[in-house]
Amino acid sequence: MLRVLQVIGKMDRAGAESLIMNLYRAVDRTKVQFDFMVFTSEEGDYDQEILELGGRIYHMPSFRGYNYFNLCGKFKDFFEKHPYKVVHGHIGSLSPAYLYYAKKNGAYVIVHSHATKSSVLWERYVFWLLSHRVSSIADYFFACSKQAGIDMFGSEIIEKDNFKVLKNCINVEAFKFSAERHQRLKELFKLEDKVVYGHVGRFTEAKNHQFLIEVFKKLSEKNDKAILLLVGR
């Protein structure tokens, strides 16, 4: 059996994490198994399912900037003790460090870009400073879009054969319309006479709730039955 190490911050219900879990549930786990390196001591939303599916979870300290070299030492020790054949990295800021030590101990290493660059200049600069060396370390490059690949790896990498856009797969069966479920949920939340608009996303500037609410204001002026449901942390 091939064990693939997924390196990510915390296995909560978010975009990259849900993508990994969708792949994990679908893969033939008699041939391929996922393990996880996370940067928290807290339990993630998906941790229990991971353990039930046969995965292992390794905990590292959260990255605080000042503990960069301490983490590098931990990566060195970890990959000497756990020589994985494949390591798939989702944490861009630390990717040159953990992928370097993984590769040094015989791993085939993959780096994955899950977003385009930040709109905040200093955040872009700090991220580039920490992550840009990964382009000379990784064996393969994944991104959720071509632009996400350009922003993290540069325009030269995305033209190479070892770059691939890996779209965020979902199980469409789980989202098929069901009249019974539709009615049950509207009754549960007492929305039987409402026209419901929904949004799922964490409450941060990147998700642009301000624009969403401005649009909904126009909708609500035209239809007093309209209601907006926001779901997220």
Side-chain angles (χ1 to χ4, degrees):
M1 179 192 292
L2 174 66
R3 301 196 79 96
V4 178
L5 183 69
Q6 306 286 348
V7 183
I8 194 156
K10 183 183 179 184
M11 285 303 293
D12 276 344
R13 295 181 189 278
E17 296 81 355
S18 296
L19 165 66
I20 297 169
M21 291 305 296
N22 285 334
L23 294 171
Y24 190 20
R25 295 176 188 122
V27 75
D28 183 349
R29 291 186 298 280
T30 65
K31 297 178 180 178
V32 180
Q33 181 58 254
F34 285 2
D35 295 335
F36 295 80
M37 176 187 286
V38 298
F39 293 82
T40 179
S41 59
E42 300 174 353
E43 181 177 351
D45 295 336
Y46 290 123
D47 283 11
Q48 192 57 46
E49 183 181 358
I50 289 168
L51 297 174
E52 290 171 358
L53 292 175
R56 302 165 184 161
I57 303 172
Y58 302 99
H59 296 269
M60 288 283 181
S62 297
F63 178 40
R64 303 295 186 188
Y66 61 80
N67 63 343
Y68 178 82
F69 293 106
N70 177 262
L71 278 170
C72 286
K74 290 183 180 297
F75 296 146
K76 179 176 182 294
D77 292 342
F78 178 87
F79 287 110
E80 286 176 354
K81 294 175 183 175
H82 306 85
Y84 276 87
K85 294 297 183 185
V86 179
V87 175
H88 187 170
H90 305 269
I91 300 297
S93 55
L94 282 173
S95 55
Y98 61 77
L99 292 183
Y100 169 78
Y101 288 109
K103 190 169 185 176
K104 189 175 181 181
N105 286 278
Y108 181 86
V109 298
I110 305 164
V111 62
H112 198 142
S113 175
H114 289 278
T116 52
K117 62 187 175 184
S118 170
S119 60
V120 181
L121 184 61
W122 72 266
E123 288 182 355
R124 292 207 304 267
Y125 176 74
V126 171
F127 182 79
W128 176 86
L129 192 66
L130 291 168
S131 68
H132 75 280
R133 291 185 299 110
V134 77
S135 296
S136 62
I137 296 171
D139 295 300
Y140 215 97
F141 301 84
F142 287 168
C144 62
S145 69
K146 189 174 180 180
Q147 189 60 53
I150 293 171
D151 287 356
M152 184 169 178
F153 313 129
S155 55
E156 290 185 11
I157 291 290
I158 69 161
E159 299 300 328
K160 295 183 178 180
D161 291 338
N162 60 346
F163 170 80
K164 183 176 180 61
V165 171
L166 183 64
K167 295 183 179 179
N168 292 343
C169 62
I170 62 170
N171 175 13
V172 294
E173 292 296 320
F175 294 91
K176 276 187 174 179
F177 177 75
S178 162
E180 182 276 329
R181 181 175 58 191
H182 175 83
Q183 187 60 34
R184 175 167 48 83
L185 289 172
K186 291 196 84 171
E187 290 173 359
L188 177 65
F189 293 103
K190 304 192 185 314
L191 302 171
E192 295 97 320
D193 63 337
K194 301 293 185 182
V195 178
V196 181
Y197 296 86
H199 178 271
V200 180
R202 68 184 185 275
F203 291 94
T204 62
E205 185 178 359
K207 300 304 180 184
N208 204 6
H209 287 82
Q210 180 174 335
F211 177 68
L212 177 66
I213 292 168
E214 288 171 1
V215 171
F216 181 71
K217 182 175 185 292
K218 300 294 184 182
L219 288 170
S220 65
E221 288 170 354
K222 295 178 180 295
N223 184 353
D224 61 6
K225 297 292 186 182
I227 187 166
L228 177 64
L229 298 184
L230 303 177
V231 183
R233 285 182 175 158

